[in-house]
């Protein structure tokens, strides 16, 4: 592994176009935030417009302050506000107005709340489904400290995909993630969803934080063993100098190899793998293409 300058394949293309402007306006009208914008995601143009299928946008629920402080993440720690009881309806309205066919919901971690926000998350899923018949909803959920009753609240709201990110290999959980997160705890969330429902399960790994190939392979095997259906692999990029350093920039060919290993050898339904891939990268298009067809 070598520390290097950012390679050409990580250069961003700024999003543009009518659809992009429309979506931006609707979000402002409803005072809503998307991870796509907040994280300045390089895939925004591609995801929002949908290249060959449904467009995808990722809404961030429960505020922009997190109770945890992962060393790779740019979200601010502490200072969380009370939940906005109107948020579920607001998100459901915005989704209808934009005309999305596939929506991803995620949130900060809210360890400060009695149910860690599971009820609010579930209510948002229900309101989106009620207001937008036929829509597909993917949720990227916290670990809820491994509490099966809280995970069950999400399962009972019947989203189409439940994602929970393991983020990195077992050895590097700390220092990459907050100390309250953990490999086994994350696997238990995914295992529970697989055992208790027919909902598709999904997870993501960032590469370039110091992991070895054999550890990536073992992680993929562990994920399949608990029944995970879909995996995404992307390059970690350091949000600021105070965050975890990038260990190496993984070559696009290596990402292609991992995709083949995941799909052909380990039998994941699909694997999105590439330097710019993020958990929700073209989630709608890939889900329809790989799972529903
Ligand atoms: Fe960021 Fe999620 Fe970690 Fe919070 S729990 S700091 S939102 S990665
Ligand atoms: Fe939004 Fe996710 Fe696509 Fe980035 S990858 S633009 S966060 S939907």
């Amino acid at each position: 592994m070598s520390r290097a300058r950012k390679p050409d394949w990580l250069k961003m293309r700024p999003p543009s176009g009518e659809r992009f402007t429309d979506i931006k306006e609707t979000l402002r009208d409803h005072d809503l935030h998307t991870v796509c914008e907040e994280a300045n995601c390089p895939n925004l143009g591609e995801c929002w417009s949908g290249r060959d299928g449904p467009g995808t946008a990722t809404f961030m629920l429960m505020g922009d302050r997190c109770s945890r402080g992962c060393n790779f993440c740019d979200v601010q720690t502490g200072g969380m506000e009370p939940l906005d009881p109107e948020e579920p309806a607001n998100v459901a309205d915005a989704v209808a107005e934009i005309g999305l066919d596939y929506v991803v919901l995620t949130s900060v971690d809210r360890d400060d709340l009695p149910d860690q926000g599971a009820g609010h998350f579930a209510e948002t899923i229900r309101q989106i489904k009620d207001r937008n018949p036929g829509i597909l909803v993917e949720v990227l959920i916290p670990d809820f400290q491994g509490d099966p009753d809280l995970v069950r609240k999400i399962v009972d709201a019947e989203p189409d995909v439940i994602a929970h990110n393991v983020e990195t290999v077992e050895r590097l959980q700390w220092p990459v993630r907050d100390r309250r997160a953990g490999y086994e705890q994350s696997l238990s969330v995914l295992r529970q969803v697989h055992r208790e429902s027919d909902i598709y399960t999904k997870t993501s790994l960032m590469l370039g934080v110091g992991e070895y190939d054999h550890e990536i392979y073992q992680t993929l095997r562990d994920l399949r063993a608990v029944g995970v259906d879909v995996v995404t692999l992307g390059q970690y990029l350091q949000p600021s100098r105070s965050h975890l350093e990038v260990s190496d920039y993984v070559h696009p060919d290596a990402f292609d190899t991992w995709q083949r290993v995941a799909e052909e050898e380990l039998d994941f339904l699909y694997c999105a793998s590439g330097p710019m891939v993020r958990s929700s990268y073209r989630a709608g298009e890939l889900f329809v293409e790989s799972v529903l067809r």
Side-chain angles (χ1 to χ4, degrees):
M1 276 177 262
S2 62
R3 196 160 294 154
R5 287 163 65 96
K6 209 186 258 188
D8 285 351
W9 63 72
L10 288 167
K11 298 234 166 84
M12 301 213 266
R13 291 173 301 279
S16 60
E18 220 172 284
R19 175 103 176 120
F20 171 72
T21 318
D22 286 353
I23 295 179
K24 243 177 132 54
E25 274 169 16
T26 309
L27 293 170
R28 292 301 79 82
D29 290 349
H30 289 272
D31 196 21
L32 292 171
H33 302 280
T34 58
V35 180
C36 322
E37 285 182 285
E38 307 277 317
N40 206 7
C41 183
N43 306 310
L44 208 153
E46 228 181 333
C47 285
W48 282 15
S49 52
R51 211 163 51 191
D52 308 303
T56 303
T58 300
F59 289 86
M60 177 111 133
L61 307 177
M62 303 195 269
D64 57 1
R65 302 292 186 103
C66 184
S67 52
R68 298 193 187 178
C70 299
N71 288 319
F72 67 90
C73 175
D74 206 15
V75 172
Q76 286 200 41
T77 305
M80 288 80 65
E81 303 272 349
L83 294 182
D84 170 9
E86 299 303 321
E87 187 175 54
N90 241 333
V91 175
D93 287 348
V95 168
E97 228 168 279
I98 295 169
L100 288 169
D101 308 298
Y102 196 103
V103 65
V104 183
L105 305 175
T106 188
S107 73
V108 289
D109 276 24
R110 293 297 305 255
D111 300 284
D112 56 307
L113 300 173
D115 74 347
Q116 297 174 51
H120 186 87
F121 219 127
E123 180 59 20
T124 310
I125 299 166
R126 287 198 183 92
Q127 295 220 23
I128 290 176
K129 290 250 174 195
D130 284 352
R131 178 98 168 68
N132 302 269
I135 194 164
L136 296 167
V137 179
E138 173 175 323
V139 291
L140 172 58
I141 58 170
D143 58 27
F144 298 120
Q145 298 174 14
D147 183 333
D149 293 335
L150 298 183
V151 174
R152 202 163 295 123
K153 280 187 188 231
I154 306 292
V155 170
D156 290 346
E158 299 182 354
D160 300 277
V161 178
I162 295 183
H164 171 66
N165 287 348
V166 72
E167 310 289 6
T168 183
V169 301
E170 185 169 15
R171 179 179 57 86
L172 296 173
Q173 291 287 310
W174 171 260
V176 172
R177 303 173 80 190
D178 185 279
R179 285 192 191 274
R180 277 164 290 186
Y183 192 70
E184 189 42 52
Q185 184 166 261
S186 286
L187 289 183
S188 78
V189 170
L190 293 159
R191 185 189 294 114
Q192 184 189 344
V193 175
H194 175 69
R195 283 192 179 153
E196 294 187 359
S197 74
D198 293 329
I199 297 169
Y200 293 101
T201 50
K202 175 173 175 179
T203 197
S204 285
L205 282 167
M206 299 173 290
L207 303 190
V209 294
E211 70 288 336
Y212 293 106
D213 283 356
H214 71 274
E215 294 175 307
I216 302 173
Y217 186 69
Q218 185 58 48
T219 307
L220 292 173
R221 284 174 57 104
D222 292 344
L223 292 167
R224 271 312 281 149
V226 297
V228 172
D229 298 302
V230 174
V231 66
T232 72
L233 306 171
Q235 170 70 52
Y236 167 62
L237 297 175
Q238 188 185 31
S240 82
R241 279 176 189 273
S242 59
H243 288 85
L244 188 77
E245 282 189 5
V246 173
S247 167
D248 58 336
Y249 290 109
V250 178
H251 194 276
D253 291 348
F255 279 103
D256 290 346
T257 302
W258 285 119
Q259 178 170 16
R260 277 195 299 278
V261 169
E263 291 180 349
E264 292 167 24
E265 185 187 328
L266 298 173
D267 243 3
F268 283 91
L269 279 178
Y270 77 83
C271 168
S273 179
M276 297 294 216
V277 166
R278 301 293 174 260
S279 166
S280 47
Y281 173 69
R282 294 177 57 221
E285 289 178 76
L286 293 172
F287 184 76
V288 169
E289 207 173 281
S290 315
V291 180
L292 299 187
R293 271 191 195 139

